[in-house]
């Protein structure tokens, strides 16, 4: 039996994200050390730790409320490029779902697409620029295809996560055209984009929370 995509799922998603980001903190910063300034894991871990505190202090009452909590916290705690980008993503997702108590597949796809569009609006990256967009865009496309073929929300999320993982891996051979890594030119080739990697971790966490 899959977990309905209600507030419990949303909170579980954030908790699972916090756990996997904490576990991968050093690895994410290693990726960022290769093509950036080495802080992505620390930045994200700081943000998700703050999210854990807020989930306990002021539990949200809808998925949209949980996304808004995440947005505000990531914007204020993560800093760097990723904080405002992830903050915008969660804020747009919150707006897309409104006060719905539960997300069906269609609303889920709308939320994922809104999140991706928010990152694009803010960062102006295109697919192939070696950014988190290279995880988000295939994730949204796969989620939409799954939903259109009648998949349940949990399967839509699983498809999104798998596509995000492939998209993150596909950043390895790219030259970066946005963010700090773009200063490196060819030297960025052979390294995975840290934001694409963290995006894939978060989308897998969302899928796992839906199976719990
Ligand atoms: P900073 O680069 O300020 O140190 P982080 O290390 O936390 O910030 O995040 C770096 C990640 O942010 C990159 O790996 C990339 O995925 C993402 N990023 C940077 N600039 C952009 C952009 N313009 N659009 C989308 N994502 C971006
Ligand atoms: Mg960095």
């Amino acid at each position: 039996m899959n977990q309905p995509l209600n507030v419990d799922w949303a909170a579980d998603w954030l908790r699972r994200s916090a756990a996997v980001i904490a576990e991968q903190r050093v690895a994410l910063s290693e990726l960022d050390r290769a093509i950036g300034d080495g802080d992505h894991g620390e930045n994200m871990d700081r943000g998700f730790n703050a999210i854990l505190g807020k989930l306990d202090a002021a539990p949200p009452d809808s998925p949209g409320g949980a996304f808004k909590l995440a947005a505000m916290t990531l914007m204020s705690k993560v800093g760097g490029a990723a904080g405002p980008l992830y903050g915008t993503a969660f804020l747009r997702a919150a707006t897309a779902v409104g006060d719905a108590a539960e997300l069906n597949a269609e609303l889920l796809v709308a939320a994922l697409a809104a999140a991706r569009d928010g990152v694009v609006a803010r960062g102006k990256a295109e697919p192939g620029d070696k950014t988190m967009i290279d995880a988000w865009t295939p994730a949204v496309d796969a989620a939409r295809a799954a939903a259109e073929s009648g998949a349940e929300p949990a399967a839509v999320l699983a498809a999104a996560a798998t596509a995000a993982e492939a998209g993150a891996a596909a950043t390895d051979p790219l030259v970066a055209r946005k963010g700090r890594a773009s200063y490196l030119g060819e030297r960025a080739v052979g390294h995975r984009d840290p934001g694409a990697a963290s995006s894939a971790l978060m989308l897998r966490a969302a899928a796992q929370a839906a199976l719990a």
Side-chain angles (χ1 to χ4, degrees), residues 90-171:
F90 274 107
L91 201 56
R92 295 282 186 101
T95 304
V97 304
D99 59 4
E102 185 179 328
L103 314 190
N104 60 18
E106 192 186 351
L107 203 48
L108 170 62
V109 171
L112 292 170
R116 187 272 314 271
D117 293 348
V119 175
V120 171
R122 182 113 199 178
K124 308 279 185 283
E126 292 175 12
D129 283 352
K130 198 176 180 106
T131 71
M132 61 174 71
I133 282 304
D134 291 324
W136 278 96
T137 293
V140 170
D141 292 346
R144 184 169 285 130
E148 281 171 0
S149 69
E152 296 294 316
V156 171
L157 280 172
T162 299
E165 287 160 1
T171 66

Side-chain angles (χ1 to χ4, degrees), residues 34-36 128-130 171-191:
I35 63 167
D129 283 352
K130 198 176 180 106
T171 66
D172 292 8
L174 299 177
V175 170
R177 288 191 292 254
K178 283 282 184 296
R180 286 181 202 280
S182 64
Y183 308 143
L184 292 180
E186 294 289 331
R187 278 184 291 146
V189 171
H191 300 286

